[in-house]
């Protein structure tokens, strides 16, 4: 009988997991059917586009030829640790198992929905709220879910790490196993490696950890203090050593330059003063982004200015919590633990948003969204601690209905806006054409406008070769391309954006004998110019 119960329990778990995975897949496909892909959604996956496609090792100073690599602590060990000046390559490890099974940009978006699912599980563990309700709420929260699916940050890994850290902190306080603080240390290190903007989140994480430990203070007092501190010290040492190794690693060709450490010092000098923030509050980029839910899609669509409804949405979502907490406290309809948790979480949300808004480099939602996990924590704490009655259930149902309606409305408005040319769907037509084996083996694919390179480099034919030259306007670039063509016995194929042409096509035609690819409709935003080849060419 016990074996049957165990078997039945495992079967139920598998079915529940299967249902959630099916739901995440459906959400990904439905979302992607109406929201175009942005090239930077896969910018962090350098290891994949370089090592799964060895043909992308083409010319010096390309990202696949070691341009972003680092010399580990000056030891001579060269590793591809970065994908950009301040962003690390570690997200490739989390995406590769999915990519290995499903080589499509859709799989990258699926990972974003899976991050939401993982967060829902952690929130369930922290607050004992049914996971299904948490998942639905997060999926319907437009600015939040959009940044996870269209993850140009990348932010999904960092935000999920916040909830995992808090969950592990709670588990450690209840059962102090060394594994928990070690995992926390590694998560912090991985998040810092992913992108240095994680520094904005660290103070808030520490405060919430302290809050969770404070709640378990009576239990912790019964334990061996030295044993607990030794675990904490070890985790701090692990995190410090790993992070220091990353920060003090140098440029490959310049042993005196530590690029990530330099970025930290550079960013510290790019902040608004408090006085300037107050004086320019109406034009502060971070506020402009937060107060218009459509701004979450500003890398894909031409965004309309915020209207009265957008401001109402922002107040309802981000500004109403203090009033709700005050009303519940006055009516004695919320537990003291929930009141403290929610108040602290909301305060940390505001504090983190201040850190973000203070930076002059903030210009899009994938920066601002890093404050939202603390807001989500505050909302979850609120719902977990309400002392429900019929009137509260009715009021909550009304607010939830309004929240859902507003998010759906702004989603429909968002997808009705004009698509930016760099995200135009015609790129997928080109991607399909360039998957032709003959083209992949005979041509060097040269993206000369922003929007196509990462898409093609990640999801193309195994024999392809790609480079990114935006814009192509110098003789040394032409010489470099011709050298690569001669060395590999290939011809040139240029991919360009007809609406935002940073490269003069006459300059291209002056140096290369090219014609338009006839397989692409003439009215398509993205086009291809290529040198003539033998018969059987799809484009000629």
């Amino acid at each position: 009988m016990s074996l049957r119960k165990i078997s039945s329990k495992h079967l139920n778990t598998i079915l529940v997991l299967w249902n959630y995975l099916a739901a995440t897949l459906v959400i990904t496909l439905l979302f992607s059917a109406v929201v175009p892909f942005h090239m930077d959604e896969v910018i962090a996956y350098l290891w994949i586009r370089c090592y799964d496609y060895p043909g992308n090792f083409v010319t010096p100073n390309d990202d696949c030829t070691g341009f972003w690599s680092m010399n580990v602590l000056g030891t001579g060990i060269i590793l591809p640790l970065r994908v950009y000046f301040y962003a690390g390559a570690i997200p490739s490890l989390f995406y590769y198992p999915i990519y290995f099974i499903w080589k499509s940009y859709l799989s990258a978006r699926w990972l974003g929905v899976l991050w939401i699912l993982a967060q829902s599980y952690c929130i369930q563990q922290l607050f004992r709220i049914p996971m299904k309700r948490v998942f639905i709420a997060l999926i319907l929260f437009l600015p939040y879910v959009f940044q996870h699916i269209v993850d140009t940050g990348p932010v999904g890994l960092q935000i999920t790490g916040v909830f995992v850290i808090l969950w592990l902190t709670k588990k450690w306080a209840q059962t102090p196993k060394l594994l928990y603080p070690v995992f926390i240390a590694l998560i912090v290190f991985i998040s810092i490696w992913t992108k240095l903007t994680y520094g904005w989140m660290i103070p808030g994480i520490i405060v919430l950890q302290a809050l969770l430990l404070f709640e378990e203070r009576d239990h912790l007092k019964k334990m061996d203090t030295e044993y607990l501190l030794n675990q904490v010290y070890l985790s701090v040492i692990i995190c410090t050593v790993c992070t220091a190794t990353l920060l003090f690693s140098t440029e490959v060709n310049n042993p005196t330059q530590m690029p990530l450490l330099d970025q930290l010092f550079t960013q510290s000098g790019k902040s608004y003063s408090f006085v300037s923030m107050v004086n320019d509050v109406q034009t502060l980029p971070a506020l402009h982004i937060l107060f218009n839910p459509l701004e979450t899609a500003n890398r894909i669509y031409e965004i309309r200015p915020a209207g009265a409804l957008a401001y109402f949405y922002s107040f309802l979502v981000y500004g109403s919590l203090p009033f709700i907490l005050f009303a519940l406290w006055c009516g004695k309809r919320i537990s003291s633990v929930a009141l403290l948790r929610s108040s602290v979480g909301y305060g940390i949300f505001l504090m983190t948003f201040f850190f973000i808004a203070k930076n002059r480099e903030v210009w899009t939602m994938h920066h601002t969204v890093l404050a939202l996990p603390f807001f989500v924590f505050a909302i979850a704490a609120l719902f977990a601690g309400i002392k429900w009655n019929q009137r509260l259930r009715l009021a909550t149902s009304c607010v939830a209905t309004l929240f859902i309606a507003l998010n759906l409305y702004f989603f429909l408005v968002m997808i009705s806006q004009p698509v930016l040319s760099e995200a135009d769907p015609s790129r997928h037509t080109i991607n399909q054409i360039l998957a032709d084996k003959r083209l992949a083996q005979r041509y060097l694919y040269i993206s000369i406008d922003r929007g196509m390179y990462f898409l093609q480099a990640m999801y193309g034919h195994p024999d392809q070769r790609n480079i990114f030259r935006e814009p192509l306007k110098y003789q040394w670039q032409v010489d470099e391309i011709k050298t690569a063509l001669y060395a590999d016995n290939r011809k040139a194929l240029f991919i360009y954006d007809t609406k935002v042409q940073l490269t003069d096509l006459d300059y291209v035609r002056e140096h290369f004998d090219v014609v338009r690819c006839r397989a692409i409709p003439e009215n398509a935003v993205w086009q291809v110019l290529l040198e003539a080849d033998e018969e059987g060419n799809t484009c000629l």
Side-chain angles (χ1 to χ4, degrees):
M1 187 68 179
S2 60
L3 289 176
R4 289 182 180 179
K5 287 183 178 180
I6 293 172
S7 177
S8 176
K9 182 179 179 181
H10 287 172
L11 180 61
N12 288 337
T13 302
I14 291 171
L15 288 174
V16 169
L17 181 60
W18 174 260
N19 288 336
Y20 274 119
L21 290 178
T24 59
L25 187 58
V26 169
I27 290 166
T28 302
L29 295 176
L30 290 176
F31 181 94
S32 300
V34 293
V35 178
F37 173 80
H38 191 280
M39 178 178 82
D40 283 359
E41 292 178 46
V42 293
I43 189 174
Y45 305 135
L46 177 138
W47 292 348
I48 298 175
R49 66 176 174 268
C50 294
Y51 296 101
D52 253 40
Y53 293 92
N56 288 338
F57 288 83
V58 181
T59 62
N61 297 327
D62 275 0
D63 59 357
C64 284
T65 54
F67 185 76
W68 300 115
S69 294
M70 295 173 68
N71 185 344
V72 180
L73 295 177
T75 59
I77 300 173
I78 310 301
L79 295 176
L81 299 178
R82 293 182 298 160
V83 297
Y84 200 58
F85 294 104
Y86 49 79
I90 187 64
S92 293
L93 288 182
F94 294 88
Y95 175 48
Y96 191 75
I98 299 174
Y99 172 85
F100 182 77
I101 299 169
W102 188 12
K103 288 187 169 109
S104 166
Y105 76 94
L106 295 171
S107 63
R109 289 186 160 186
W110 188 35
L111 177 60
V113 186
L114 291 177
W115 287 132
I116 294 281
L117 184 63
Q119 293 170 28
S120 302
Y121 175 78
C122 292
I123 292 171
Q124 178 201 38
Q125 295 298 309
L126 281 166
F127 298 104
R128 300 303 171 190
I129 303 174
M131 181 174 167
K132 181 169 64 175
R133 293 183 183 179
V134 178
F135 181 66
I136 292 172
L138 294 181
I139 288 296
L140 290 173
F141 186 8
L142 177 60
Y144 191 80
V145 71
F146 192 95
Q147 289 304 309
H148 282 76
I149 301 178
V150 184
D151 191 355
T152 58
V155 299
L157 175 58
Q158 292 179 317
I159 292 175
T160 304
V162 173
F163 293 106
V164 175
I165 287 171
L166 297 178
W167 173 46
L168 291 177
T169 300
K170 183 177 180 180
K171 287 180 69 69
W172 180 78
Q174 296 169 345
T175 311
K177 297 179 181 179
L178 178 60
L179 195 63
Y180 298 145
V182 169
F183 272 151
I184 289 172
L186 293 176
I187 291 169
V188 172
F189 164 63
I190 288 170
S191 299
I192 292 172
W193 185 2
T194 298
K195 206 170 185 181
L196 295 179
T197 50
Y198 186 72
W200 293 330
M201 308 171 80
I202 290 176
I205 294 171
I206 293 173
V207 172
L208 288 184
Q209 283 184 292
L211 176 62
L212 294 175
L213 294 176
F214 177 75
E215 292 175 0
E216 299 289 342
R217 61 192 180 280
D218 292 336
H219 181 63
L220 290 170
K221 286 177 182 177
K222 300 175 183 177
M223 299 181 187
D224 185 346
T225 303
E226 184 178 355
Y227 175 71
L228 297 177
L229 289 177
N230 285 339
Q231 291 191 9
V232 173
Y233 293 152
L234 179 60
S235 65
V236 171
I237 290 170
I238 291 172
C239 184
T240 302
V241 169
C242 292
T243 305
T245 300
L246 187 68
L247 294 178
F248 288 98
S249 292
T250 66
E251 292 277 10
V252 173
N253 299 319
N254 186 353
T256 63
Q257 186 173 0
M258 302 169 186
L260 293 178
L261 195 62
D262 291 344
Q263 281 294 316
L264 282 179
F265 287 114
T266 301
Q267 289 301 314
S268 64
K270 294 182 178 179
S271 296
Y272 294 102
S273 67
F274 182 75
V275 174
S276 64
M277 288 180 72
V278 172
N279 292 337
D280 302 329
V281 66
Q282 291 184 334
T283 59
L284 204 62
L287 276 177
H288 174 71
I289 294 164
L290 192 69
F291 287 168
N292 185 356
L294 298 176
E295 283 291 338
T296 192
N298 66 2
R299 305 198 68 187
I300 292 181
Y301 297 100
E302 296 178 16
I303 301 302
R304 298 175 185 175
L309 194 58
Y311 290 124
F312 173 74
Y313 173 92
S314 300
F315 171 76
L316 175 70
V317 175
Y318 306 118
S320 61
L321 182 59
F323 301 99
I324 294 172
L325 288 175
F326 181 73
L328 291 172
W329 175 72
C330 290
K332 298 181 180 180
R333 303 306 305 178
I334 187 171
S335 69
S336 58
V337 171
L339 181 63
L340 179 61
R341 280 185 173 186
S342 190
S343 300
V344 172
Y346 188 73
I348 293 171
F349 158 64
L350 296 178
M351 177 187 73
T352 308
F353 179 74
F354 174 78
F355 293 153
I356 295 169
K358 202 171 185 299
N359 192 292
R360 293 180 182 272
E361 299 292 308
V362 169
W363 62 277
T364 189
M365 188 64 188
H366 74 231
H367 299 127
T368 308
V369 73
L370 295 178
L372 293 189
F374 304 112
F375 174 75
V376 170
F377 178 94
I379 296 296
L382 166 68
F383 277 92
I386 291 178
K387 299 174 182 177
W388 296 98
N389 59 24
Q390 188 173 356
R391 291 177 60 186
L392 278 176
R393 292 185 189 281
L394 178 61
T396 302
S397 298
C398 292
V399 173
T401 302
L402 181 60
F403 173 78
I404 294 169
L406 286 172
N407 278 282
L408 289 176
Y409 168 79
F410 281 112
F411 179 75
L412 293 175
V413 171
M414 179 188 74
I415 62 177
S416 69
Q417 297 173 120
V419 176
L420 296 173
S421 61
E422 68 177 284
D424 190 86
S426 60
R427 295 167 304 147
H428 298 294
T429 301
I430 293 176
N431 179 245
Q432 292 170 3
I433 292 171
L434 299 188
D436 179 77
K437 183 177 181 179
R438 181 187 295 271
L439 291 176
Q441 292 179 339
R442 294 289 298 139
Y443 283 90
L444 171 63
Y445 299 159
I446 308 159
S447 298
I448 56 177
D449 284 309
R450 181 172 181 78
M452 188 67 191
Y453 172 68
F454 294 135
L455 171 62
Q456 186 60 43
M458 284 281 297
Y459 308 108
H461 191 279
D463 296 328
Q464 69 177 358
R465 285 181 175 268
N466 291 274
I467 61 173
F468 187 26
R469 292 294 178 269
E470 178 218 20
L472 175 59
K473 62 179 182 179
Y474 299 110
Q475 184 61 45
W476 67 266
Q477 294 174 309
V478 172
D479 294 340
E480 191 178 61
I481 290 172
K482 288 186 174 181
T483 299
L485 295 174
Y486 177 79
D488 205 31
N489 191 27
R490 289 178 180 251
K491 294 182 179 296
L493 185 150
F494 298 93
I495 310 167
Y496 65 97
D497 179 351
T498 60
K499 287 188 176 181
V500 182
Q501 289 185 11
L502 297 179
T503 296
D504 184 353
L505 296 183
D506 290 336
Y507 184 79
V508 174
R509 293 188 178 97
E510 179 184 335
H511 292 89
F512 300 90
D513 185 14
V514 292
V515 296
R516 194 184 74 83
C517 177
R518 296 176 184 175
I520 302 169
E522 291 187 22
N523 62 349
V525 172
W526 281 82
Q527 295 285 343
V528 164
L529 294 174
L530 73 165
E531 294 181 314
D533 192 16
E534 70 259 19
E535 293 183 4
N537 190 317
T538 306
C539 276
L540 301 176

